[in-house]
Amino acid sequence: MRALQITNLSGPRSALEPADLPEPEPSHPLTPGSGVVVEVHAAGVSFPEVLQTRGEYQHKPPLPFVPGSEVSGVVRSAPDGSGLSEGDRVAAHCMLGGFAETAVAPEYLAFPLPDGFDYAQGAALILNYHTAYFALKLRGRLAVGETVLVHGAAGGVGTAALQVAKGLGARTVGVVSSDEKEAVARAAGADEVVRSDAPWKDQVKELGGADVVIDPVGGERFTDSLRSLRENGRCVVVGFTGGSIPEVKVNRLLLNNIDVVGAGWGTHVMGKPDVNREIGAAVGRLVEEGFVSPLVGARFPLEQAADALELIDGRGATGKVVLDVRAE
Ligand SMILES: NC(=O)c1ccc[n+]([C@@H]2O[C@H](COP(=O)([O-])OP(=O)(O)OC[C@H]3O[C@@H](n4cnc5c(N)ncnc54)[C@H](OP(=O)(O)O)[C@@H]3O)[C@@H](O)[C@H]2O)c1
């Protein structure tokens, strides 16, 4: 099968090489001897793959390996009792191996592709939307009527967090860096948008402050995120695209009665079928209710994955970046 491998750690432009690999067995490292085999039509591209090309991601598989954590396509085979059958359209989180014509996912991380979604949207569904639900509801304890501030609001996690927050009954404020990204954040459901190069913290306070901050960016703005929280507010740490890992002066937590909460979706859900089904069902309800519909941004053929990675690395991506592995 056609695939791309990371063969070295020289960065997004040069770390990937095409490879002709044998088809994978129906087995996944999380479910040895069992797995859903997917004929891949679209593969999602995300920040972790950029980091993997430099050896900077927390999981460091031995070289060479096929990156790609999520795919969408057609089930080729599925274990009995998985609820999936050959020929079903599916969205699946495979962790690795998605930049290939065939990939394998644990059965509890493979979900029927909602009617009306194309494969590109399917490749945008699990990582970002399951993370968004996990971060907002399970870690951020979001309640109906609360206000959510979303950093990186035009990005993959950001657009997902806006849609899920609206579906959970919140008012939403997005933080973005450009006009183009403002339009994307509004399309994803931001009620208000503030600019990262403006006095956004003061603007958010004028809007009444935030009950929950979803922060996939980190860096210098973190202290202002804490300052923009209302009493009993929660700042949910999701990622560090801004580059640096912020530090917290904990007196701020005491003085304002606020929480800083970590949300590591992968670490929490791997090996927990019930939690995945619960989150999958919740996201599925939000799809049915019309709140969740992934915004796909740039699309590239599999062989141009380096362009996709560089787009993300250069802060140029909006919505979800997708590789078209097979023509639809
Ligand atoms: N915790 C979890 O379970 C989990 C799950 C999935 C992803 N993540 C993490 O979440 C983060 C966001 O992922 P994503 O897929 O949403 O990425 P993305 O689509 O590239 O969006 C990231 C956003 O970060 C902002 N940003 C600010 N400074 C940046 C910089 N120096 N370089 C690049 N972007 C910068 C950009 O928005 P502006 O230009 O508008 O500022 C950009 O839209 C990543 O760190 C990823 O690893 C964590």
Side-chain angles (χ1 to χ4, degrees), residues 46-48 51 57 127-128 131 152-158 175-178 181 196 216-217 221 237-243 263-266 312-315 317 319:
S46 302
F47 224 86
L51 300 177
Y57 194 54
L127 177 65
N128 290 339
T131 294
V157 169
V175 187
V176 298
S177 65
S178 69
K181 290 185 176 182
S196 52
V217 175
R221 61 176 85 174
V237 177
V238 178
F240 311 103
T241 54
W265 172 75
I312 295 171
D313 193 33
R315 203 172 173 173

Side-chain angles (χ1 to χ4, degrees), residues 142 144-150 153 158-159 161-176 181-194 203-204 207 209 211 291:
L142 178 64
V144 174
E146 289 191 319
T147 297
V148 178
L149 179 72
V150 178
T159 51
L162 287 169
Q163 290 185 357
V164 171
K166 290 305 293 178
L168 295 175
R171 174 173 169 245
T172 51
V173 184
V175 187
V176 298
K181 290 185 176 182
E182 174 165 351
V184 173
R186 288 197 188 278
D191 296 314
E192 310 281 350
V193 178
V194 294
Q203 293 167 347
V204 173
L207 292 167
D211 299 291
F291 290 106

Side-chain angles (χ1 to χ4, degrees), residues 28-277:
H28 189 274
L30 288 174
T31 52
S34 176
V36 177
V37 180
V38 181
E39 185 183 280
V40 178
H41 285 244
V45 190
S46 302
F47 224 86
E49 280 98 37
V50 175
L51 300 177
Q52 283 170 346
T53 65
R54 300 195 179 103
E56 290 174 355
Y57 194 54
Q58 59 247 41
H59 303 299
K60 298 181 173 60
L63 299 174
F65 68 94
V66 179
S69 70
E70 59 186 335
V71 298
S72 180
V74 177
V75 172
R76 193 174 283 168
S77 69
D80 290 343
S82 66
L84 292 165
S85 319
E86 184 183 351
D88 287 350
R89 289 172 6 116
V90 72
H93 192 81
C94 48
M95 288 171 52
L96 289 175
F99 291 6
E101 285 185 305
T102 311
V104 184
E107 64 185 65
Y108 59 79
L109 280 166
F111 301 88
L113 188 60
D115 291 343
F117 278 23
D118 62 19
Y119 291 119
Q121 288 180 297
L125 191 58
I126 298 182
L127 177 65
N128 290 339
Y129 284 87
H130 285 220
T131 294
Y133 184 85
F134 175 65
L136 284 162
K137 186 74 181 170
L138 304 185
R139 301 296 292 148
R141 311 188 302 278
L142 178 64
V144 174
E146 289 191 319
T147 297
V148 178
L149 179 72
V150 178
H151 286 290
V157 169
T159 51
L162 287 169
Q163 290 185 357
V164 171
K166 290 305 293 178
L168 295 175
R171 174 173 169 245
T172 51
V173 184
V175 187
V176 298
S177 65
S178 69
D179 288 345
E180 184 201 357
K181 290 185 176 182
E182 174 165 351
V184 173
R186 288 197 188 278
D191 296 314
E192 310 281 350
V193 178
V194 294
R195 296 289 277 267
S196 52
D197 60 355
W200 59 267
K201 179 253 301 171
D202 299 329
Q203 293 167 347
V204 173
K205 288 189 120 174
E206 278 165 27
L207 292 167
D211 299 291
V212 175
V213 173
I214 295 294
D215 186 13
V217 175
E220 312 244 310
R221 61 176 85 174
F222 195 76
T223 301
D224 277 347
S225 288
L226 299 185
R227 289 184 176 126
S228 66
L229 283 174
R230 300 161 68 155
E231 189 173 15
N232 295 319
R234 292 80 72 196
C235 181
V236 186
V237 177
V238 178
F240 311 103
T241 54
S244 62
I245 297 178
E247 292 181 7
V248 183
K249 286 215 164 75
V250 294
N251 63 320
R252 289 187 193 287
L253 313 186
L254 175 155
L255 290 171
N256 297 319
N257 288 301
I258 55 175
D259 298 3
V260 174
V261 189
W265 172 75
T267 341
H268 183 76
V269 303
M270 292 306 147
K272 295 190 184 115
D274 290 347
V275 177
N276 282 295
R277 290 194 188 104

